[in-house]
PDB file of all heavy atoms in Angstrom:
ATOM      1  N   PRO A  27     106.645  57.439  21.686  1.00 34.00           N
ATOM      2  CA  PRO A  27     107.038  57.741  23.068  1.00 34.00           C
ATOM      3  C   PRO A  27     107.562  59.154  23.195  1.00 34.00           C
ATOM      4  O   PRO A  27     108.112  59.716  22.258  1.00 34.00           O
ATOM      5  CB  PRO A  27     108.137  56.713  23.344  1.00 34.00           C
ATOM      6  CG  PRO A  27     108.674  56.353  21.998  1.00 34.00           C
ATOM      7  CD  PRO A  27     107.500  56.409  21.074  1.00 34.00           C
ATOM      8  N   ILE A  28     107.374  59.711  24.383  1.00 41.00           N
ATOM      9  CA  ILE A  28     107.807  61.068  24.671  1.00 41.00           C
ATOM     10  C   ILE A  28     109.068  61.003  25.510  1.00 41.00           C
ATOM     11  O   ILE A  28     109.186  60.191  26.432  1.00 41.00           O
ATOM     12  CB  ILE A  28     106.698  61.837  25.406  1.00 41.00           C
ATOM     13  CG1 ILE A  28     105.486  61.967  24.481  1.00 41.00           C
ATOM     14  CG2 ILE A  28     107.157  63.210  25.865  1.00 41.00           C
ATOM     15  CD1 ILE A  28     104.276  62.516  25.167  1.00 41.00           C
ATOM     16  N   ALA A  29     110.029  61.875  25.205  1.00 42.00           N
ATOM     17  CA  ALA A  29     111.294  61.877  25.932  1.00 42.00           C
ATOM     18  C   ALA A  29     111.065  62.209  27.395  1.00 42.00           C
ATOM     19  O   ALA A  29     110.321  63.124  27.724  1.00 42.00           O
ATOM     20  CB  ALA A  29     112.253  62.887  25.313  1.00 42.00           C
ATOM     21  N   THR A  30     111.685  61.461  28.301  1.00 43.00           N
ATOM     22  CA  THR A  30     111.535  61.710  29.727  1.00 43.00           C
ATOM     23  C   THR A  30     112.884  61.695  30.416  1.00 43.00           C
ATOM     24  O   THR A  30     113.829  61.048  29.961  1.00 43.00           O
ATOM     25  CB  THR A  30     110.637  60.631  30.383  1.00 43.00           C
ATOM     26  OG1 THR A  30     111.279  59.366  30.238  1.00 43.00           O
ATOM     27  CG2 THR A  30     109.267  60.605  29.743  1.00 43.00           C
ATOM     28  N   ALA A  31     112.964  62.421  31.519  1.00 48.00           N
ATOM     29  CA  ALA A  31     114.140  62.347  32.385  1.00 48.00           C
ATOM     30  C   ALA A  31     113.848  61.294  33.446  1.00 48.00           C
ATOM     31  O   ALA A  31     112.991  61.499  34.295  1.00 48.00           O
ATOM     32  CB  ALA A  31     114.415  63.706  33.019  1.00 48.00           C
ATOM     33  N   GLU A  32     114.521  60.186  33.395  1.00 56.00           N
ATOM     34  CA  GLU A  32     114.143  59.023  34.190  1.00 56.00           C
ATOM     35  C   GLU A  32     114.577  59.125  35.643  1.00 56.00           C
ATOM     36  O   GLU A  32     115.614  59.699  35.978  1.00 56.00           O
ATOM     37  CB  GLU A  32     114.736  57.756  33.570  1.00 56.00           C
ATOM     38  CG  GLU A  32     114.093  57.379  32.224  1.00 56.00           C
ATOM     39  CD  GLU A  32     112.662  56.967  32.365  1.00 56.00           C
ATOM     40  OE1 GLU A  32     112.277  56.472  33.438  1.00 56.00           O
ATOM     41  OE2 GLU A  32     111.910  57.132  31.395  1.00 56.00           O
ATOM     42  N   HIS A  33     113.751  58.586  36.497  1.00 59.00           N
ATOM     43  CA  HIS A  33     113.975  58.415  37.929  1.00 59.00           C
ATOM     44  C   HIS A  33     113.804  56.910  38.157  1.00 59.00           C
ATOM     45  O   HIS A  33     113.098  56.237  37.401  1.00 59.00           O
ATOM     46  CB  HIS A  33     112.922  59.226  38.697  1.00 59.00           C
ATOM     47  CG  HIS A  33     113.012  59.119  40.182  1.00 59.00           C
ATOM     48  ND1 HIS A  33     112.515  58.052  40.883  1.00 59.00           N
ATOM     49  CD2 HIS A  33     113.543  59.964  41.108  1.00 59.00           C
ATOM     50  CE1 HIS A  33     112.718  58.235  42.178  1.00 59.00           C
ATOM     51  NE2 HIS A  33     113.343  59.388  42.335  1.00 59.00           N
ATOM     52  N   PRO A  34     114.429  56.321  39.155  1.00 58.00           N
ATOM     53  CA  PRO A  34     114.266  54.870  39.353  1.00 58.00           C
ATOM     54  C   PRO A  34     112.826  54.396  39.368  1.00 58.00           C
ATOM     55  O   PRO A  34     112.539  53.259  38.974  1.00 58.00           O
ATOM     56  CB  PRO A  34     114.944  54.644  40.713  1.00 58.00           C
ATOM     57  CG  PRO A  34     115.998  55.706  40.777  1.00 58.00           C
ATOM     58  CD  PRO A  34     115.397  56.901  40.088  1.00 58.00           C
ATOM     59  N   ALA A  35     111.873  55.251  39.848  1.00 64.00           N
ATOM     60  CA  ALA A  35     110.469  54.824  39.918  1.00 64.00           C
ATOM     61  C   ALA A  35     109.654  55.278  38.715  1.00 64.00           C
ATOM     62  O   ALA A  35     108.448  55.041  38.665  1.00 64.00           O
ATOM     63  CB  ALA A  35     109.832  55.374  41.198  1.00 64.00           C
ATOM     64  N   ALA A  36     110.332  55.902  37.726  1.00 67.00           N
ATOM     65  CA  ALA A  36     109.576  56.528  36.642  1.00 67.00           C
ATOM     66  C   ALA A  36     108.917  55.524  35.717  1.00 67.00           C
ATOM     67  O   ALA A  36     107.924  55.846  35.059  1.00 67.00           O
ATOM     68  CB  ALA A  36     110.499  57.450  35.840  1.00 67.00           C
ATOM     69  N   ARG A  37     109.454  54.301  35.657  1.00 70.00           N
ATOM     70  CA  ARG A  37     108.930  53.352  34.671  1.00 70.00           C
ATOM     71  C   ARG A  37     107.495  52.933  34.947  1.00 70.00           C
ATOM     72  O   ARG A  37     106.823  52.401  34.066  1.00 70.00           O
ATOM     73  CB  ARG A  37     109.843  52.121  34.624  1.00 70.00           C
ATOM     74  CG  ARG A  37     111.234  52.429  34.101  1.00 70.00           C
ATOM     75  CD  ARG A  37     111.981  51.147  33.756  1.00 70.00           C
ATOM     76  NE  ARG A  37     113.330  51.465  33.311  1.00 70.00           N
ATOM     77  CZ  ARG A  37     114.417  51.333  34.067  1.00 70.00           C
ATOM     78  NH1 ARG A  37     114.293  50.876  35.309  1.00 70.00           N
ATOM     79  NH2 ARG A  37     115.609  51.635  33.597  1.00 70.00           N
TER      80      ARG A  37
END
Side-chain angles (χ1 to χ4, degrees):
I28 296 171
T30 63
E32 291 293 333
H33 179 280
R37 294 194 182 102

